[in-house]
Short mmCIF file of all heavy atoms in Angstrom, two decimals:
data_model
loop_
_atom_site.label_atom_id
_atom_site.label_comp_id
_atom_site.label_asym_id
_atom_site.label_seq_id
_atom_site.Cartn_x
_atom_site.Cartn_y
_atom_site.Cartn_z
N VAL A 11 19.66 -10.97 5.73
CA VAL A 11 18.65 -10.91 6.77
C VAL A 11 17.36 -10.40 6.14
O VAL A 11 17.37 -9.37 5.45
CB VAL A 11 19.06 -9.98 7.93
CG1 VAL A 11 17.96 -9.89 8.98
CG2 VAL A 11 20.38 -10.45 8.55
N VAL A 12 16.27 -11.13 6.33
CA VAL A 12 14.98 -10.73 5.79
C VAL A 12 13.98 -10.63 6.93
O VAL A 12 13.82 -11.57 7.72
CB VAL A 12 14.48 -11.75 4.73
CG1 VAL A 12 13.00 -11.55 4.45
CG2 VAL A 12 15.28 -11.60 3.44
N MET A 13 13.33 -9.49 7.03
CA MET A 13 12.27 -9.27 8.01
C MET A 13 10.93 -9.40 7.30
O MET A 13 10.71 -8.79 6.25
CB MET A 13 12.40 -7.87 8.61
CG MET A 13 13.71 -7.58 9.31
SD MET A 13 13.88 -8.49 10.86
CE MET A 13 12.51 -7.81 11.81
N LEU A 14 10.03 -10.19 7.88
CA LEU A 14 8.69 -10.35 7.35
C LEU A 14 7.67 -9.92 8.41
O LEU A 14 7.96 -9.91 9.60
CB LEU A 14 8.43 -11.80 6.95
CG LEU A 14 9.37 -12.40 5.89
CD1 LEU A 14 8.96 -13.83 5.57
CD2 LEU A 14 9.39 -11.56 4.63
N ARG A 15 6.48 -9.59 7.93
CA ARG A 15 5.42 -9.08 8.81
C ARG A 15 4.08 -9.57 8.28
O ARG A 15 3.97 -9.89 7.09
CB ARG A 15 5.48 -7.54 8.79
CG ARG A 15 4.44 -6.81 9.60
CD ARG A 15 4.60 -5.31 9.38
NE ARG A 15 3.74 -4.51 10.25
CZ ARG A 15 3.74 -3.19 10.28
NH1 ARG A 15 4.54 -2.50 9.49
NH2 ARG A 15 2.93 -2.54 11.10
N ASN A 16 3.08 -9.61 9.13
CA ASN A 16 1.74 -9.88 8.64
C ASN A 16 1.55 -9.12 7.34
O ASN A 16 1.61 -7.88 7.32
CB ASN A 16 0.71 -9.42 9.68
CG ASN A 16 -0.72 -9.64 9.24
OD1 ASN A 16 -1.10 -9.33 8.11
ND2 ASN A 16 -1.53 -10.17 10.12
N PRO A 17 1.38 -9.80 6.20
CA PRO A 17 1.41 -9.10 4.90
C PRO A 17 0.28 -8.09 4.71
O PRO A 17 0.46 -7.11 3.99
CB PRO A 17 1.36 -10.23 3.88
CG PRO A 17 0.81 -11.40 4.63
CD PRO A 17 1.24 -11.25 6.05
N ALA A 18 -0.87 -8.33 5.35
CA ALA A 18 -1.94 -7.34 5.26
C ALA A 18 -1.55 -6.07 6.01
O ALA A 18 -1.74 -4.94 5.51
CB ALA A 18 -3.24 -7.92 5.81
N ASP A 19 -0.99 -6.23 7.20
CA ASP A 19 -0.53 -5.07 7.96
C ASP A 19 0.63 -4.37 7.25
O ASP A 19 0.73 -3.14 7.27
CB ASP A 19 -0.07 -5.51 9.35
CG ASP A 19 -1.21 -5.98 10.23
OD1 ASP A 19 -2.37 -5.65 9.92
OD2 ASP A 19 -0.94 -6.68 11.22
N ARG A 20 1.50 -5.15 6.62
CA ARG A 20 2.62 -4.56 5.89
C ARG A 20 2.11 -3.67 4.77
O ARG A 20 2.58 -2.54 4.58
CB ARG A 20 3.51 -5.67 5.31
CG ARG A 20 4.86 -5.20 4.77
CD ARG A 20 5.23 -5.83 3.45
NE ARG A 20 4.35 -5.42 2.37
CZ ARG A 20 4.44 -4.26 1.72
NH1 ARG A 20 5.39 -3.40 2.02
NH2 ARG A 20 3.58 -3.94 0.76
N ALA A 21 1.13 -4.19 4.01
CA ALA A 21 0.58 -3.43 2.90
C ALA A 21 -0.07 -2.14 3.37
O ALA A 21 0.11 -1.07 2.76
CB ALA A 21 -0.44 -4.28 2.14
N TYR A 22 -0.80 -2.22 4.48
CA TYR A 22 -1.51 -1.04 4.99
C TYR A 22 -0.53 0.00 5.53
O TYR A 22 -0.68 1.20 5.31
CB TYR A 22 -2.49 -1.48 6.07
CG TYR A 22 -3.61 -0.49 6.33
CD1 TYR A 22 -4.34 0.06 5.28
CD2 TYR A 22 -3.95 -0.14 7.64
CE1 TYR A 22 -5.38 0.95 5.52
CE2 TYR A 22 -4.99 0.74 7.89
CZ TYR A 22 -5.70 1.29 6.83
OH TYR A 22 -6.73 2.17 7.07
N SER A 23 0.51 -0.46 6.22
CA SER A 23 1.55 0.45 6.71
C SER A 23 2.26 1.12 5.54
O SER A 23 2.53 2.34 5.57
CB SER A 23 2.55 -0.32 7.57
OG SER A 23 3.64 0.49 7.95
N HIS A 24 2.57 0.36 4.51
CA HIS A 24 3.23 0.89 3.31
C HIS A 24 2.33 1.95 2.65
O HIS A 24 2.82 3.03 2.25
CB HIS A 24 3.50 -0.27 2.35
CG HIS A 24 4.33 0.08 1.17
ND1 HIS A 24 4.75 -0.86 0.25
CD2 HIS A 24 4.81 1.27 0.70
CE1 HIS A 24 5.45 -0.28 -0.70
NE2 HIS A 24 5.50 1.01 -0.45
N TYR A 25 1.04 1.65 2.56
CA TYR A 25 0.10 2.59 1.96
C TYR A 25 0.08 3.93 2.71
O TYR A 25 0.19 5.01 2.10
CB TYR A 25 -1.30 1.98 1.94
CG TYR A 25 -2.40 2.98 1.70
CD1 TYR A 25 -2.67 3.46 0.42
CD2 TYR A 25 -3.18 3.45 2.76
CE1 TYR A 25 -3.69 4.39 0.20
CE2 TYR A 25 -4.19 4.37 2.55
CZ TYR A 25 -4.45 4.84 1.27
OH TYR A 25 -5.45 5.75 1.05
N TRP A 26 -0.01 3.88 4.04
CA TRP A 26 -0.07 5.11 4.81
C TRP A 26 1.27 5.85 4.81
O TRP A 26 1.31 7.08 4.85
CB TRP A 26 -0.56 4.84 6.23
CG TRP A 26 -2.06 4.76 6.24
CD1 TRP A 26 -2.83 3.64 6.31
CD2 TRP A 26 -2.96 5.86 6.13
NE1 TRP A 26 -4.16 3.96 6.25
CE2 TRP A 26 -4.27 5.32 6.14
CE3 TRP A 26 -2.80 7.24 6.03
CZ2 TRP A 26 -5.40 6.13 6.07
CZ3 TRP A 26 -3.93 8.04 5.95
CH2 TRP A 26 -5.21 7.49 5.96
N HIS A 27 2.35 5.11 4.73
CA HIS A 27 3.67 5.73 4.57
C HIS A 27 3.70 6.55 3.28
O HIS A 27 4.20 7.68 3.26
CB HIS A 27 4.73 4.62 4.53
CG HIS A 27 6.13 5.12 4.35
ND1 HIS A 27 6.89 5.62 5.39
CD2 HIS A 27 6.92 5.19 3.25
CE1 HIS A 27 8.07 5.98 4.94
NE2 HIS A 27 8.12 5.73 3.64
N ASP A 28 3.15 6.00 2.21
CA ASP A 28 3.10 6.70 0.92
C ASP A 28 2.09 7.85 0.94
O ASP A 28 2.35 8.94 0.41
CB ASP A 28 2.75 5.73 -0.20
CG ASP A 28 3.91 4.84 -0.61
OD1 ASP A 28 5.02 5.04 -0.08
OD2 ASP A 28 3.70 3.95 -1.44
N ARG A 29 0.95 7.61 1.56
CA ARG A 29 -0.10 8.63 1.53
C ARG A 29 0.32 9.90 2.28
O ARG A 29 0.06 11.01 1.81
CB ARG A 29 -1.39 8.06 2.13
CG ARG A 29 -2.53 9.07 2.14
CD ARG A 29 -3.89 8.43 2.15
NE ARG A 29 -4.93 9.43 2.27
CZ ARG A 29 -6.22 9.20 2.08
NH1 ARG A 29 -6.62 7.98 1.72
NH2 ARG A 29 -7.10 10.15 2.22
N THR A 30 0.97 9.76 3.42
CA THR A 30 1.39 10.94 4.17
C THR A 30 2.49 11.70 3.44
O THR A 30 2.74 12.87 3.75
CB THR A 30 1.90 10.56 5.57
OG1 THR A 30 3.00 9.68 5.47
CG2 THR A 30 0.80 9.93 6.38
N ARG A 31 3.12 11.07 2.48
CA ARG A 31 4.17 11.71 1.70
C ARG A 31 3.67 12.19 0.35
O ARG A 31 4.45 12.58 -0.51
CB ARG A 31 5.36 10.75 1.54
CG ARG A 31 6.14 10.62 2.83
CD ARG A 31 6.88 9.31 2.96
NE ARG A 31 7.66 9.28 4.20
CZ ARG A 31 7.13 9.04 5.41
NH1 ARG A 31 5.84 8.80 5.53
NH2 ARG A 31 7.90 9.05 6.49
N GLY A 32 2.35 12.12 0.14
CA GLY A 32 1.77 12.65 -1.07
C GLY A 32 1.94 11.78 -2.30
O GLY A 32 1.76 12.24 -3.42
N ARG A 33 2.28 10.52 -2.10
CA ARG A 33 2.52 9.64 -3.25
C ARG A 33 1.24 9.00 -3.78
O ARG A 33 1.24 8.45 -4.87
CB ARG A 33 3.52 8.54 -2.86
CG ARG A 33 4.89 9.08 -2.49
CD ARG A 33 5.77 8.02 -1.89
NE ARG A 33 7.04 8.58 -1.44
CZ ARG A 33 7.88 7.97 -0.62
NH1 ARG A 33 7.59 6.76 -0.16
NH2 ARG A 33 9.00 8.55 -0.24
N THR A 34 0.18 9.05 -3.00
CA THR A 34 -1.11 8.54 -3.47
C THR A 34 -2.22 9.25 -2.72
O THR A 34 -2.05 9.64 -1.57
CB THR A 34 -1.23 7.02 -3.24
OG1 THR A 34 -2.50 6.57 -3.76
CG2 THR A 34 -1.16 6.65 -1.76
N GLU A 35 -3.34 9.43 -3.40
CA GLU A 35 -4.53 9.98 -2.77
C GLU A 35 -5.70 8.99 -2.87
O GLU A 35 -6.78 9.26 -2.38
CB GLU A 35 -4.92 11.30 -3.42
CG GLU A 35 -3.87 12.40 -3.22
CD GLU A 35 -4.28 13.72 -3.84
OE1 GLU A 35 -5.35 13.75 -4.51
OE2 GLU A 35 -3.56 14.72 -3.67
N SER A 36 -5.47 7.86 -3.52
CA SER A 36 -6.51 6.85 -3.68
C SER A 36 -6.79 6.15 -2.36
O SER A 36 -5.93 6.10 -1.48
CB SER A 36 -6.10 5.81 -4.72
OG SER A 36 -5.89 6.40 -5.98
N GLU A 37 -7.98 5.61 -2.23
CA GLU A 37 -8.32 4.84 -1.04
C GLU A 37 -7.66 3.47 -1.11
O GLU A 37 -7.53 2.88 -2.19
CB GLU A 37 -9.84 4.68 -0.92
CG GLU A 37 -10.56 6.00 -0.66
CD GLU A 37 -10.11 6.67 0.63
OE1 GLU A 37 -9.94 5.97 1.65
OE2 GLU A 37 -9.91 7.90 0.60
N PHE A 38 -7.26 2.97 0.05
CA PHE A 38 -6.55 1.69 0.11
C PHE A 38 -7.38 0.57 -0.51
O PHE A 38 -6.85 -0.24 -1.29
CB PHE A 38 -6.21 1.37 1.56
CG PHE A 38 -5.43 0.09 1.73
CD1 PHE A 38 -4.14 -0.03 1.22
CD2 PHE A 38 -5.97 -0.98 2.42
CE1 PHE A 38 -3.40 -1.21 1.38
CE2 PHE A 38 -5.24 -2.16 2.60
CZ PHE A 38 -3.96 -2.27 2.07
N GLY A 39 -8.66 0.50 -0.19
CA GLY A 39 -9.50 -0.56 -0.73
C GLY A 39 -9.57 -0.54 -2.24
O GLY A 39 -9.59 -1.60 -2.88
N ASP A 40 -9.59 0.65 -2.82
CA ASP A 40 -9.63 0.77 -4.28
C ASP A 40 -8.33 0.26 -4.91
O ASP A 40 -8.34 -0.44 -5.93
CB ASP A 40 -9.87 2.22 -4.69
CG ASP A 40 -11.24 2.73 -4.29
OD1 ASP A 40 -12.13 1.89 -4.07
OD2 ASP A 40 -11.40 3.96 -4.19
N ILE A 41 -7.19 0.62 -4.29
CA ILE A 41 -5.90 0.17 -4.82
C ILE A 41 -5.79 -1.34 -4.73
O ILE A 41 -5.35 -2.01 -5.68
CB ILE A 41 -4.75 0.84 -4.05
CG1 ILE A 41 -4.77 2.35 -4.25
CG2 ILE A 41 -3.40 0.28 -4.52
CD1 ILE A 41 -3.72 3.10 -3.45
N VAL A 42 -6.20 -1.90 -3.59
CA VAL A 42 -6.15 -3.36 -3.41
C VAL A 42 -7.01 -4.05 -4.47
O VAL A 42 -6.60 -5.05 -5.07
CB VAL A 42 -6.59 -3.74 -1.99
CG1 VAL A 42 -6.84 -5.25 -1.89
CG2 VAL A 42 -5.55 -3.32 -0.97
N ALA A 43 -8.21 -3.54 -4.68
CA ALA A 43 -9.11 -4.15 -5.67
C ALA A 43 -8.48 -4.14 -7.06
O ALA A 43 -8.55 -5.12 -7.80
CB ALA A 43 -10.45 -3.42 -5.67
N ARG A 44 -7.84 -3.03 -7.41
CA ARG A 44 -7.20 -2.94 -8.73
C ARG A 44 -6.04 -3.91 -8.84
O ARG A 44 -5.87 -4.59 -9.86
CB ARG A 44 -6.72 -1.51 -8.96
CG ARG A 44 -7.84 -0.52 -9.25
CD ARG A 44 -7.41 0.92 -8.99
NE ARG A 44 -6.08 1.21 -9.54
CZ ARG A 44 -5.30 2.19 -9.08
NH1 ARG A 44 -5.70 2.95 -8.07
NH2 ARG A 44 -4.12 2.40 -9.64
N GLU A 45 -5.24 -4.01 -7.78
CA GLU A 45 -4.09 -4.90 -7.85
C GLU A 45 -4.52 -6.37 -7.87
O GLU A 45 -3.94 -7.18 -8.60
CB GLU A 45 -3.14 -4.64 -6.67
CG GLU A 45 -1.78 -5.25 -6.88
CD GLU A 45 -0.75 -4.84 -5.84
OE1 GLU A 45 -1.05 -3.97 -4.98
OE2 GLU A 45 0.36 -5.40 -5.88
N LEU A 46 -5.54 -6.70 -7.09
CA LEU A 46 -6.04 -8.07 -7.09
C LEU A 46 -6.67 -8.44 -8.44
O LEU A 46 -6.70 -9.62 -8.81
CB LEU A 46 -7.06 -8.28 -5.97
CG LEU A 46 -6.50 -8.29 -4.55
CD1 LEU A 46 -7.63 -8.42 -3.53
CD2 LEU A 46 -5.50 -9.44 -4.38
N ALA A 47 -7.13 -7.43 -9.17
CA ALA A 47 -7.69 -7.66 -10.50
C ALA A 47 -6.62 -7.79 -11.57
O ALA A 47 -6.92 -8.01 -12.74
CB ALA A 47 -8.67 -6.53 -10.85
N GLY A 48 -5.36 -7.62 -11.18
CA GLY A 48 -4.26 -7.80 -12.12
C GLY A 48 -3.67 -6.52 -12.66
O GLY A 48 -2.76 -6.55 -13.50
N GLU A 49 -4.14 -5.37 -12.18
CA GLU A 49 -3.61 -4.10 -12.67
C GLU A 49 -2.24 -3.83 -12.07
O GLU A 49 -2.00 -4.07 -10.88
CB GLU A 49 -4.57 -2.97 -12.30
CG GLU A 49 -4.14 -1.61 -12.81
CD GLU A 49 -5.14 -0.51 -12.48
OE1 GLU A 49 -6.34 -0.82 -12.31
OE2 GLU A 49 -4.70 0.66 -12.37
N ASP A 50 -1.35 -3.32 -12.87
CA ASP A 50 -0.04 -2.91 -12.40
C ASP A 50 -0.17 -1.52 -11.79
O ASP A 50 -0.44 -0.55 -12.50
CB ASP A 50 0.96 -2.88 -13.57
CG ASP A 50 2.36 -2.49 -13.14
OD1 ASP A 50 2.56 -2.18 -11.95
OD2 ASP A 50 3.27 -2.48 -14.01
N ILE A 51 0.01 -1.41 -10.48
CA ILE A 51 -0.16 -0.12 -9.82
C ILE A 51 1.17 0.60 -9.63
O ILE A 51 1.25 1.62 -8.95
CB ILE A 51 -0.86 -0.28 -8.45
CG1 ILE A 51 0.01 -1.07 -7.48
CG2 ILE A 51 -2.23 -0.92 -8.62
CD1 ILE A 51 -0.42 -0.91 -6.04
N GLY A 52 2.24 0.05 -10.22
CA GLY A 52 3.54 0.71 -10.12
C GLY A 52 4.40 0.08 -9.03
O GLY A 52 4.08 -0.97 -8.48
N PRO A 53 5.50 0.74 -8.70
CA PRO A 53 6.48 0.15 -7.79
C PRO A 53 5.98 -0.07 -6.37
O PRO A 53 6.57 -0.85 -5.62
CB PRO A 53 7.65 1.15 -7.82
CG PRO A 53 7.05 2.43 -8.29
CD PRO A 53 5.96 2.04 -9.22
N ALA A 54 4.91 0.62 -5.97
CA ALA A 54 4.40 0.41 -4.60
C ALA A 54 4.01 -1.05 -4.39
O ALA A 54 4.40 -1.68 -3.41
CB ALA A 54 3.20 1.32 -4.33
#
């Protein structure tokens, strides 16, 4: 069974899930820009 969601909303929900747990302090837009540029941002 695979659940899918609007991928932009999924990414933003995942980001805030991590941020409230202290896993990142970077701004979402900055992380997206780095990942779209080809940077490996880790398992997130």
Side-chain angles (χ1 to χ4, degrees):
V11 178
V12 165
M13 300 290 297
L14 301 181
R15 178 184 187 178
N16 179 314
D19 291 341
R20 192 223 67 80
Y22 201 47
S23 174
H24 188 176
Y25 164 78
W26 278 103
H27 179 81
D28 283 355
R29 179 156 175 167
T30 60
R31 286 154 177 79
R33 296 170 185 164
T34 182
E35 295 182 355
S36 299
E37 294 300 317
F38 182 65
D40 294 339
I41 297 176
V42 167
R44 286 160 45 204
E45 195 171 355
L46 289 177
E49 182 178 334
D50 181 357
I51 65 163

